[in-house]
Amino acid sequence: MRQAFDYLPPAGHPAGAEDVGRRVRVPFGNRELVGVVVAVAEPDPAAGELRAALQILDEAPLLAGELRHSLQWLAGYTHAPLGEVLATALPGSLRHGQPLPVRETWRWRLTEAGMTALDRLRAGSSPRRLAEALGREGLAEWQLDDLQPGWRSAARSLARRGFAERQAEQVAATVLPMQSGPPLNPEQTAAVAAIPGHGFAPILLEGVTGSGKTEVYLQAIAACLARGRQALVLVPEIGLTPQTLARFRARLGVEVHALHSGLADNERALTWAACLRGQARVIVGTRSAVFVPLPEAGLIVIDEEHDGSYKQLDGIRYHARDFALVRGKALQVPVILGSATPSLETLHNARTGRYAHLRLAERAGEAKAPSVRVVDVRKRALAAGLAPETLAVIATQLQAGGQVLVFKNRRGYAPVLLCHDCGWSAHCNRCDAPMTVHAAGRRLQCHHCGHRRPAPPACPDCGGLALQPQGVGTERLEELLADSFAQVPVLRIDRSTTQRKDALERHFATLGEGPGILVGTQILAKGHDLPLLTLVVVVGVDEGLFSADFRAGEKLAQLLIQVAGRAGRAARPGQVWLQTHHPGHPLLETLLSGGYRAFADAELIQRQAAGFPPFAHLAMIRAEARQLEHVQAFLRATRVALANVAQDLELHGPMPAPMPRRAGFQRMQLLLSAIQRPRLHAALQTALPAIEALPEARRVRWSLDVDPIDLY
Ligand code: ADP
Ligand code: ZN
Ligand code: ZN
């Protein structure tokens, strides 16, 4: 709900400004709920009788200062209820009212004054015994619990006199040995020098794959730690590997706290609490880590800032990169956006001078940029999508002891099951989409709603037996490659084979140091450093060349550069073979002749001409229901409500969603576009209450997405 609710403070608790940000347990209807205090005010006599909150749950506010203000900003920007935003920001167990968990890493020790005064404390007294136990080295609280039950009052008495102090344990600083990195090259040195120690500074670090961006982050983080500040590093979902964490730990010499969706609720809450208390000095996490409290913030890094996983696609549709920039500004700390293929939004901001722009144009160390070769596969006989010369080069690389990555952005055996006699093809009966063939043709699966069924033995329409898988997915490639290169390991890596947490690591371990083949989807585009990888084969990207989505070209260019960047990251030179039916496509030509930079230049000109981001600002209202009429009626009424309040807003639709039916729901959308961002927000702000009150709104599921990244 959009509104806040008024309560009296719990009996005997005088409410004050210091309650803002604390959680409370309150009666709500005939239930009890957990809430967060967002304001304290004098009761309004006109409001009538108020119920009293039952209990204040926190000693100190959980959502205080900068984080609370930034979340408030986010609620305004996404036009979402503040309650939902706060609930999104809090780990589950805190949202449900569990106490803020304690990590037992506080340490008490004697001060210099305490050391001198030790003898003057009454022999045998509780403070004296505690002081003797503590000494200058000190003890952790959990150790004191065992050693001297009831030690806390003695500790307070020592602290009052300045004889003892309590400190957050800098666990890692004292425990872990530190490794030094390679000496930086001049470009890296210049980049590190350009990152200021404090104050808000948005910085694009544009560095080709393998140019040593991570080394630059590590140096900036080390400097941040040396200043006694916290560093937050956001990484894409597929980038948060044990390899990455180990590298950070070894190099920084402190505990590195990982935060990602794979953690249990209590683990997330522990890390969140450690951030709030300032115990966590380095936090590396995926999208939702952008919500951790950073009372001593010093630096924010967003690795692979162009990555799509930073955008949340349901609930509060926030963009972690954009929210990180908002927080960096509020916290007055530098924000580094790193990428080999920056998003066009970020590039535009760098070019117009809003962000500083640092470049790493060369690969670090010995590695050289890979060479790229385009294979025209028109009219060619293909085996599971591979041309004969592609198979030949794979064989050559394997013989030379190299590893090969075969990339195809489609999992399953084949995208379509077709009857060669009558033209029937297997469709999901809940979605308007073909079902993907899995398990070498035995099983069908809908990649949109998850529905599975066995493949029919004969055509359901004509009874014929000529059912044929059409096209190529990773399973089919794996089958062919395992047959053709039986002497080396062939490993398939896609969402079907990496369900388990450690699956990727185990795959890479199997591959080892010898020749072998990896077949996979974009999961392979980033994450693991494979020094023996000398050849990358890209099997067809043609679907992406003709998509209606205005961002399709950008996504494809990024994917190609990222996948190609996996080749030749160490001393061995790398090659990229790109198979296509459209060797003359402008996107490929520009990318191959001028690189990502040339592509981005051309694309920005087109975006400007067409009035798309970053030159315009978009919002999408999506709606779905079982009956199409309900969806249409709601979006038409919504369009009227918006048109009534804003003249300079462009409204497109209602139009069918790119997938007009999914899991049995009819889906349509309304796209809003404005040249001035404030206009867009003003219109939404004014019109949303009317839209929510529409009778048509009760018959559909609908959502608002500000800055949509996918137009579906
Ligand atoms: P990026 O993050 O830009 O992809 P990394 O920081 O992971 O690049 O560096 C790629 C590889 O190059 C790593 O193996 C890293 O250890 C190495 N490397 C980075 N900087 C240097 C340097 N100055 N000298 C030698 N090797 C380096
Ligand atoms: Zn048939
Ligand atoms: Zn389906």
Side-chain angles (χ1 to χ4, degrees), residues 419-424 459-464 467:
C419 172
H420 199 54
D421 288 344
C422 76
W424 172 89
C459 172
D461 269 13
C462 73
L467 291 177

Side-chain angles (χ1 to χ4, degrees), residues 199-235:
F200 176 55
I203 300 162
L204 167 59
L205 176 62
E206 182 180 8
V208 299
T209 51
S211 58
K213 293 183 291 297
T214 311
E215 289 299 325
V216 174
Y217 307 153
L218 285 167
Q219 297 263 353
I221 295 166
C224 162
L225 292 176
R227 287 192 302 273
R229 315 296 304 179
Q230 295 171 292
L232 170 66
V233 183
L234 298 181
V235 294

